[in-house]
Amino acid sequence: MEASATRVRHEGVDYAVGIVRDISERKAAEARLEAEMRLTRSLAESARALLGAAPDMDAIARILLDRACELTGSRHGYVAFTDQAGHGGHPSVMSATLRSEGCVMGALPVTGPPGPDGLYPGLWGHSLNTRQGFYTNDPARHPSARGLPEGHMPIARLLSAPAVSKGRIVGQIALANPPRDYTQDDLTAVESLADVFALGAEQALSQRALRAAKDAAEASSRAKSAFLANMTHEVRTPLNGILGMLQVLLAGSLGPEQRDYAGVALESADRLHRLLDNVIEYARLDSDLTPADCLSFPPLDLLRSLEALFTPKAVAGGLVFSVKAEPGLPELMFSDPQSVHRILGHLLDNAIKFTPVGAVALTAGPAAEDPGRIVFRVSDTGIGIPAEKRAQVFDAFTQADAGITRTYGGAGLGLAIAQRLAERLGGELASADRPGGGTVMTLTLPRDCTPIFAA
């Protein structure tokens, strides 16, 4: 009630005027508004804790329990995760009073497994079994009451709300023993907090599943790479014996027809040997986490080595092969000479293989826009690469046209290997059309490389 009194004067006479009003509805409305504001603040605080790639669910559970106890006046309570493997609920946090008053539930960890029928026993399991929140102000008379374990504190009133996400129970908020009876408003507020907990638990479960899937995929990839490397090594060993015996056979006295047959066999075995080398190299790069081994070396020596290696191959194919060091090429560069040699070797192999007639050229010099970088170019007058296929040719096991595989052979690994090696050295590979026909492959490397770990 609200009472007020005032003095008024009327025609020279003083009067006392008193007013008494029933303000129960106003007080109830103010209380509801205050409760809603507290709930809104609690939800906002909990939602902020959910932000981020990996929310701290223990911290969120603590916030939710504190707010649930504050909103309902509960002295005891806990927030639990529900094990998705069916092993029961695992309280994440408990109220301070539950721990301090010597209750057997006060020492974490505690597990509440379901029974043989798959149902959770007792009052605490009622909301999990029904997937509905509930409260009781007379726990002993509730149909699900099964008594309390020895050492458990008495329960005078109890409220429980399950956290449900995508049709599965992921957790629970359980409260007990406020100084007054629980109401439907209390249950509604705690159910809202349980919904926030369900969002966080679902996010945590999704992240756990993603990590497990990522770990499984990486393990599978490593296993495949190891298996591929082992198998190719096992195949290469007898293949080396075949190559050796064919070379010995060709060095002996054979008739013209026998020599032709042995030559075809040797060429086929050599092609298979190169293919296996590429597969082994790609598998090694796919699993190797060590950085490139960089040291100082003269790039001119590298060019001369490539010239000596590829001139016979080009001449055998009827091609003109040239190597040129452009003005400004530094005397020394700091990089991995073996990797640079392998990159340019793959580029020259491709250029010679895909150039039926004409010329192949290798040049090296400083980048016009950055003297701290060196540009190696392999140009040819071959069949070229369609513009829409240029990015695709750097993918493993890919060639610009399926017909190329039938005509020229190969598994489409050379450029993929070259690309990975270039990235490890901090460089890049690019392809472009050559004016007049053909292709230009450009390898750009830093003069002084900082080795990058393989992916």
Side-chain angles (χ1 to χ4, degrees), residues 335-348:
S335 191
D336 183 347
Q338 291 187 353
S339 293
V340 180
H341 191 283
R342 287 184 353 231
I343 296 170
L344 294 174
H346 285 299
L347 299 182
L348 289 169

Side-chain angles (χ1 to χ4, degrees), residues 219-355:
S220 176
S221 178
R222 288 192 296 269
K224 289 177 181 177
S225 296
F227 174 78
L228 187 60
N230 290 335
M231 286 302 297
T232 49
H233 276 295
E234 290 297 322
V235 173
R236 189 165 62 172
T237 299
L239 184 57
N240 285 332
I242 295 173
L243 283 168
M245 290 299 99
L246 287 171
Q247 290 168 353
V248 169
L249 188 63
L250 283 170
S253 56
L254 296 175
E257 187 175 8
Q258 292 172 324
R259 186 170 296 277
D260 287 343
Y261 292 159
V264 170
L266 180 61
E267 182 182 352
S268 299
D270 186 59
R271 179 180 295 182
L272 181 57
H273 188 268
R274 290 198 303 271
L275 174 61
L276 286 172
D277 280 345
N278 283 345
V279 172
I280 290 173
E281 186 174 15
Y282 182 80
R284 182 185 62 78
L285 288 173
D286 202 36
S287 58
D288 189 6
L289 299 179
T290 59
D293 186 14
C294 292
L295 50 89
S296 293
F297 67 95
L300 186 59
D301 286 357
L302 177 69
L303 295 180
R304 288 171 178 166
S305 172
L306 290 166
E307 183 178 21
L309 178 63
F310 284 94
T311 296
K313 296 182 180 181
V315 171
L319 303 176
V320 176
F321 181 54
S322 61
V323 177
K324 178 183 178 183
E326 296 179 344
L329 180 68
E331 292 185 5
L332 293 175
M333 66 180 293
F334 185 76
S335 191
D336 183 347
Q338 291 187 353
S339 293
V340 180
H341 191 283
R342 287 184 353 231
I343 296 170
L344 294 174
H346 285 299
L347 299 182
L348 289 169
D349 262 333
N350 270 6
I352 292 172
K353 180 167 68 172
F354 295 120
T355 304

Side-chain angles (χ1 to χ4, degrees), residues 3 15 22 57 64 94 185 207 336 344 376:
Y15 294 90
D22 184 346
M57 287 306 299
L64 292 171
M94 293 187 178
D185 288 342
Q207 290 175 347
D336 183 347
L344 294 174
F376 298 87

Side-chain angles (χ1 to χ4, degrees), residues 182-198:
Y182 283 119
T183 66
Q184 182 60 41
D185 288 342
D186 294 326
L187 179 59
T188 300
V190 176
E191 285 178 332
S192 298
L193 296 175
D195 289 341
V196 174
F197 183 72

